[in-house]
Amino acid sequence: MKTVLLTGFEPFAEESINPSWEVVSSLEGPSSEGYRIVCLQLPCVFGESLDVLLAAITTYSPTLVIAVGQAGGRTDISIERVAINVDDARIPDNKGHQPIDQPVVANGPAAWFSTLPIKAIVSALQQEGIPASISQTAGTYVCNHVMYGLLHALRDKPWIKGGFVHIPYIPQQAAMHPGSASMAAETVKQGLKIAISTALRVEVDECKTGGTTH
Amino acid sequence: MKTVLLTGFEPFAEESINPSWEVVSSLEGPSSEGYRIVCLQLPCVFGESLDVLLAAITTYSPTLVIAVGQAGGRTDISIERVAINVDDARIPDNKGHQPIDQPVVANGPAAWFSTLPIKAIVSALQQEGIPASISQTAGTYVCNHVMYGLLHALRDKPWIKGGFVHIPYIPQQAAMHPGSASMAAETVKQGLKIAISTALRVEVDECKTGGTTH
Amino acid sequence: MKTVLLTGFEPFAEESINPSWEVVSSLEGPSSEGYRIVCLQLPCVFGESLDVLLAAITTYSPTLVIAVGQAGGRTDISIERVAINVDDARIPDNKGHQPIDQPVVANGPAAWFSTLPIKAIVSALQQEGIPASISQTAGTYVCNHVMYGLLHALRDKPWIKGGFVHIPYIPQQAAMHPGSASMAAETVKQGLKIAISTALRVEVDECKTGGTTH
Amino acid sequence: MKTVLLTGFEPFAEESINPSWEVVSSLEGPSSEGYRIVCLQLPCVFGESLDVLLAAITTYSPTLVIAVGQAGGRTDISIERVAINVDDARIPDNKGHQPIDQPVVANGPAAWFSTLPIKAIVSALQQEGIPASISQTAGTYVCNHVMYGLLHALRDKPWIKGGFVHIPYIPQQAAMHPGSASMAAETVKQGLKIAISTALRVEVDECKTGGTTH
């Protein structure tokens, strides 16, 4: 049975919950499509988050790894295209570290592209009525850090696909951030299921634009 | 048994559904709190929409009338404060009419304020984790037209409370409008129930800011 | 010689300048088109702002009064359509008062419409390459308070036109509010000149949509 | 005398002007600070744009190359941090080509980081009251294509600094795109001068956050 490793984050900044973990943790277990999902909570800490993730990859030997993070203010499920080799923290992480313009991996390449079929995932989500898009930047905080470190670790394991998905606030968070968009946990959950099954099914990504002019 | 008249609109512009009707129509019937909800679909047409609404008020003698409309692009459930006496249509209505700077009611007052406890409704929604805010403008299209006409008709019936609530796209719509915010129908439904029970319960509105500097 | 009374505000909130006064004060004096501009700074205080404005109308007997205010975050010069009879302060004014849901004028009508040719002004601005639009709400703070009070005072003086114009931050303010739009003082100045000459020239406003669906 | 090569683009999409060229072309010539600026217009065409740019680098032997492009909708001068090795055109370029998920340089690295002192430039701009920020993505269109190709070409010429700057619409464009932010050409011009002199002056970039959480 194939194993899918799905990660969410602990809360950070002033939030008391992190929607990525709320949703991810509800997906643990075997699926009807013949694979099992292992869920893992990552600390919102530079370094440690990656240590925890990479240890779990060794333990569970997944064929697919999708890390999920909160993007407060975004309106849709955004499938990240690329992670860059830089930590530049606008706010301290949960251990108080605030690296500025440090590499995620010393002497690593400037960036790694997601190995998920990102265009096919966006198509599948939209077809099911779930707002989704390609994102050209995962930021420069712990989310980008985890995505970069994950893809760097998988660079010589092409049989494991990996990538990152950003999700909006859930409504109860947006209720405290007037003006912010949100997405119901149920919608996000359905979206992650579609993302997983699409990633397991699609070998060659769709040739369909997901670009931006700037 | 008290009657609540709840209205939604038919689809307009390029939409094939209108979330206001999708949600409103699911609320028809008696509630466990001792009132019944009567649902009514309004045409997205200047004039006709009001004719249909005012006839239903005569038929059903409600104690509360809440008209609900789609505000594509908004992020939360917005409780309208005021309707103004002007029709200024950016796009034609569903019958092809496009009034510009015409009064809703000739010689009517410049505006009518909602008679709902708008601040209490926002508080109740936020407390239940549903994004909500006061809106200072209902626009100048059929939504504002209906809100103005409703409040004008209720001016000498102080025993009937009335107002207007704008709701975001639902996800399946936002999936076709990249970048737009949305709210799950289930969340909106829960929100409208809270708005109704708050409006029936609260006699004197809360004194709590819901204003904007511009 | 016709007199145009042009007002700007003193700074409020955490700002050390108010772009409305920066620009307005640079327009003092006679114009080449045969009128003179009298500039007046209003305190950002409920009540007092109106006292100062109404006294100046008595003193100068203008044929046109345009009040200008800062709308931090807006992208263009917005010509306000309507002022409503409510003070609902999100933040205290410069004297520490924070009225909530109080009328501007007790027993006054619910709203007053601008008596400027608002559509013609937007057209003229756009034609000169200056971003502009109709705004359907002036908020519920001191700007709306001044606009309402001005139009209420002019209700029996139809020979004096009056209205309100909101302007964006100027660049030096936006430099401290990352992500906020701005407009150069020079562009705003040119815009206000166009607004004034259009208001003096146009008797009957253009019939051109400036509405919104919500 | 040091040479600075400054490029702007021809108009694209439905625009009749491109603010990058409007401003860049006004900066041609010697500066009072002892360097000369050579201006170059690039076609908005994949491939050709780079051919023109790289030929000019050979011709003029600049010590600094800054490519400037339009980012319609952005509010400030954004200094790009990184270019990625992908062309994914949302709209065809000016020759009708629309590459999707093609590399800019076959077998090139995934990304190149700007070699400009990007943090110092943002600081200098903000200090002069000009809205500015670091951008974590230059998109996937011709701007990113040029930035990537430029930095790839400069990879073994560390004595030439290079990078990319995105600028907003100018007001006359925003007047036709209601709701869009803009910046006066004069402000952008002043900003580019500051960016150039900062890039020539600063050897080691500031350690100051310019990151985003997502």
Side-chain angles (χ1 to χ4, degrees):
Chain A
M1 187 183 269
K2 284 182 178 175
T3 296
V4 174
L5 182 58
L6 199 61
T7 73
F9 280 101
E10 62 179 14
F12 68 101
E14 284 107 46
E15 302 297 322
S16 59
I17 61 166
N18 190 312
S20 64
W21 181 244
E22 300 296 310
V23 175
V24 160
S25 59
S26 73
L27 286 165
E28 175 90 35
S31 91
S32 59
E33 297 177 55
Y35 56 86
R36 66 164 183 159
I37 297 175
V38 173
C39 296
L40 182 69
Q41 194 189 53
L42 303 180
C44 187
V45 178
F46 289 99
E48 270 185 42
S49 50
L50 266 179
D51 296 343
V52 171
L53 173 58
L54 301 186
I57 291 175
T58 302
T59 305
Y60 298 108
S61 297
T63 53
L64 173 64
V65 184
I66 299 182
V68 184
Q70 164 190 310
R74 287 201 194 163
T75 58
D76 64 7
I77 296 185
S78 40
I79 314 302
E80 296 296 343
R81 185 195 290 266
V82 66
I84 60 176
N85 192 16
V86 70
D87 291 334
D88 185 357
R90 190 175 59 73
I91 52 174
D93 70 14
N94 283 359
K95 285 253 167 107
H97 304 307
Q98 190 174 10
I100 292 181
D101 294 347
Q102 299 297 313
V104 180
V105 174
N107 303 313
W112 285 105
F113 286 104
S114 175
T115 55
L116 303 179
I118 59 175
K119 303 293 180 73
I121 292 173
V122 168
S123 287
L125 288 168
Q126 289 177 337
Q127 230 149 22
E128 294 300 316
I130 298 175
S133 63
I134 301 295
S135 164
Q136 326 297 339
T137 172
T140 59
Y141 197 56
V142 185
C143 289
N144 173 75
H145 179 86
V146 161
M147 182 179 173
Y148 182 93
L150 166 65
L151 292 165
H152 189 73
L154 299 182
R155 70 192 179 287
D156 51 6
K157 296 183 183 67
W159 58 89
I160 312 181
K161 286 179 178 174
F164 199 97
V165 173
H166 263 121
I167 62 172
Y169 284 137
I170 52 176
Q172 67 186 92
Q173 294 178 290
M176 314 221 286
H177 296 283
S180 289
S182 63
M183 188 175 278
E186 188 53 39
T187 309
V188 177
K189 185 176 175 179
Q190 195 191 338
L192 291 181
K193 282 182 185 173
I194 292 169
I196 290 170
S197 65
T198 305
L200 289 172
R201 179 174 44 81
V202 173
E203 285 302 313
V204 180
D205 199 5
E206 285 179 26
C207 181
K208 179 191 155 175
T209 187
T212 57
T213 51
H214 58 263
Chain B
M1 185 183 272
K2 282 183 181 174
T3 296
V4 175
L5 181 59
L6 198 63
T7 72
F9 281 102
E10 63 180 11
F12 68 100
E14 282 108 46
E15 302 298 320
S16 58
I17 59 167
N18 190 312
S20 64
W21 181 243
E22 300 296 311
V23 176
V24 161
S25 59
S26 74
L27 287 165
E28 175 89 36
S31 90
S32 59
E33 296 176 56
Y35 55 87
R36 66 165 183 158
I37 297 176
V38 173
C39 296
L40 181 70
Q41 194 189 54
L42 302 182
C44 187
V45 177
F46 288 99
E48 271 185 40
S49 49
L50 266 178
D51 295 342
V52 172
L53 173 57
L54 301 187
I57 292 176
T58 303
T59 306
Y60 298 109
S61 295
T63 53
L64 173 65
V65 184
I66 299 183
V68 183
Q70 163 189 310
R74 287 201 193 161
T75 58
D76 64 7
I77 296 184
S78 38
I79 315 301
E80 296 296 342
R81 184 196 290 267
V82 66
I84 59 176
N85 192 14
V86 69
D87 292 332
D88 185 357
R90 191 176 58 73
I91 51 174
D93 69 14
N94 283 1
K95 286 253 167 109
H97 304 305
Q98 189 173 11
I100 293 181
D101 295 347
Q102 300 296 315
V104 179
V105 174
N107 303 315
W112 285 105
F113 286 104
S114 175
T115 55
L116 304 180
I118 60 174
K119 303 292 180 73
I121 292 173
V122 167
S123 287
L125 288 168
Q126 289 178 336
Q127 230 149 19
E128 293 300 315
I130 298 176
S133 63
I134 300 296
S135 164
Q136 325 298 340
T137 172
T140 58
Y141 197 55
V142 183
C143 291
N144 173 75
H145 178 86
V146 161
M147 182 178 173
Y148 183 92
L150 166 65
L151 293 164
H152 189 73
L154 299 183
R155 70 192 179 288
D156 51 6
K157 299 185 181 66
W159 57 90
I160 313 180
K161 285 180 179 173
F164 199 98
V165 173
H166 263 120
I167 62 172
Y169 283 138
I170 51 177
Q172 68 187 87
Q173 294 178 290
M176 314 222 285
H177 296 283
S180 289
S182 63
M183 187 175 278
E186 189 51 40
T187 309
V188 177
K189 185 176 173 178
Q190 197 190 336
L192 291 182
K193 282 182 185 173
I194 292 169
I196 291 169
S197 65
T198 305
L200 290 173
R201 180 175 43 80
V202 174
E203 285 302 313
V204 179
D205 199 5
E206 285 179 27
C207 182
K208 179 190 156 178
T209 186
T212 58
T213 51
H214 59 262
Chain C
M1 188 183 270
K2 284 182 178 176
T3 296
V4 174
L5 181 59
L6 198 62
T7 73
F9 281 101
E10 64 180 12
F12 68 101
E14 284 106 47
E15 301 298 321
S16 59
I17 60 166
N18 189 314
S20 64
W21 180 244
E22 299 297 310
V23 176
V24 160
S25 60
S26 74
L27 286 164
E28 175 88 35
S31 91
S32 59
E33 297 176 57
Y35 56 87
R36 66 162 183 161
I37 296 175
V38 173
C39 296
L40 181 70
Q41 194 189 51
L42 303 181
C44 186
V45 178
F46 289 99
E48 270 185 41
S49 49
L50 266 178
D51 295 344
V52 172
L53 174 57
L54 301 187
I57 291 175
T58 303
T59 307
Y60 298 108
S61 297
T63 53
L64 173 65
V65 184
I66 298 182
V68 184
Q70 164 190 311
R74 288 202 193 161
T75 57
D76 64 7
I77 296 183
S78 38
I79 314 303
E80 297 295 343
R81 185 196 289 268
V82 66
I84 58 176
N85 191 15
V86 70
D87 291 334
D88 184 357
R90 192 175 59 73
I91 52 174
D93 70 13
N94 283 0
K95 286 252 167 109
H97 304 306
Q98 190 175 9
I100 293 181
D101 295 347
Q102 299 297 314
V104 180
V105 173
N107 303 314
W112 285 106
F113 287 103
S114 176
T115 54
L116 303 180
I118 61 175
K119 304 292 180 75
I121 292 173
V122 168
S123 287
L125 289 167
Q126 289 179 336
Q127 229 149 22
E128 293 302 314
I130 298 175
S133 63
I134 300 295
S135 164
Q136 325 298 338
T137 172
T140 57
Y141 197 55
V142 184
C143 291
N144 173 75
H145 178 86
V146 161
M147 182 179 172
Y148 182 93
L150 166 65
L151 292 165
H152 190 73
L154 299 183
R155 69 191 179 287
D156 51 6
K157 299 187 181 65
W159 58 90
I160 312 181
K161 286 179 177 173
F164 199 96
V165 173
H166 264 120
I167 62 172
Y169 284 138
I170 52 176
Q172 70 187 87
Q173 294 177 289
M176 313 223 286
H177 296 283
S180 289
S182 63
M183 188 176 277
E186 188 52 39
T187 309
V188 177
K189 184 175 174 179
Q190 196 190 337
L192 290 182
K193 282 183 186 173
I194 291 168
I196 291 168
S197 66
T198 305
L200 289 173
R201 179 174 43 81
V202 173
E203 285 301 314
V204 180
D205 199 6
E206 285 180 27
C207 181
K208 177 190 157 178
T209 186
T212 58
T213 51
H214 57 263
Chain D
M1 187 184 271
K2 283 182 179 176
T3 296
V4 174
L5 181 58
L6 198 61
T7 73
F9 281 101
E10 62 179 12
F12 68 100
E14 283 105 48
E15 301 299 321
S16 59
I17 60 166
N18 189 313
S20 64
W21 182 243
E22 300 297 310
V23 175
V24 161
S25 59
S26 74
L27 287 164
E28 176 88 36
S31 90
S32 59
E33 297 176 56
Y35 56 86
R36 65 162 182 159
I37 297 175
V38 174
C39 297
L40 181 70
Q41 194 190 51
L42 302 182
C44 187
V45 178
F46 289 99
E48 268 185 43
S49 50
L50 266 177
D51 295 343
V52 171
L53 173 57
L54 301 186
I57 291 175
T58 303
T59 305
Y60 297 109
S61 297
T63 54
L64 173 64
V65 184
I66 299 182
V68 183
Q70 163 191 311
R74 287 200 193 162
T75 57
D76 64 7
I77 296 185
S78 40
I79 315 301
E80 296 295 344
R81 186 196 287 267
V82 65
I84 59 176
N85 191 15
V86 69
D87 292 334
D88 185 357
R90 191 175 57 73
I91 51 173
D93 70 13
N94 283 0
K95 286 254 167 108
H97 304 306
Q98 190 175 11
I100 293 182
D101 294 348
Q102 300 297 314
V104 180
V105 174
N107 304 313
W112 286 105
F113 287 103
S114 176
T115 56
L116 303 180
I118 59 174
K119 304 290 180 75
I121 291 173
V122 168
S123 287
L125 288 168
Q126 289 178 337
Q127 230 149 22
E128 293 301 316
I130 298 176
S133 63
I134 301 295
S135 165
Q136 324 298 339
T137 172
T140 58
Y141 198 56
V142 184
C143 290
N144 173 75
H145 179 86
V146 161
M147 181 179 175
Y148 182 93
L150 166 66
L151 292 165
H152 189 73
L154 299 183
R155 71 193 179 284
D156 50 6
K157 298 186 180 65
W159 58 91
I160 312 181
K161 285 180 178 174
F164 199 96
V165 174
H166 263 119
I167 62 172
Y169 284 137
I170 51 176
Q172 68 187 91
Q173 293 179 290
M176 313 223 285
H177 296 283
S180 290
S182 63
M183 187 175 278
E186 189 53 40
T187 309
V188 177
K189 184 175 174 180
Q190 195 190 337
L192 291 181
K193 281 182 185 172
I194 292 168
I196 290 169
S197 65
T198 305
L200 289 173
R201 179 175 43 79
V202 174
E203 285 302 314
V204 179
D205 199 6
E206 285 180 26
C207 181
K208 177 191 158 176
T209 187
T212 57
T213 52
H214 58 262

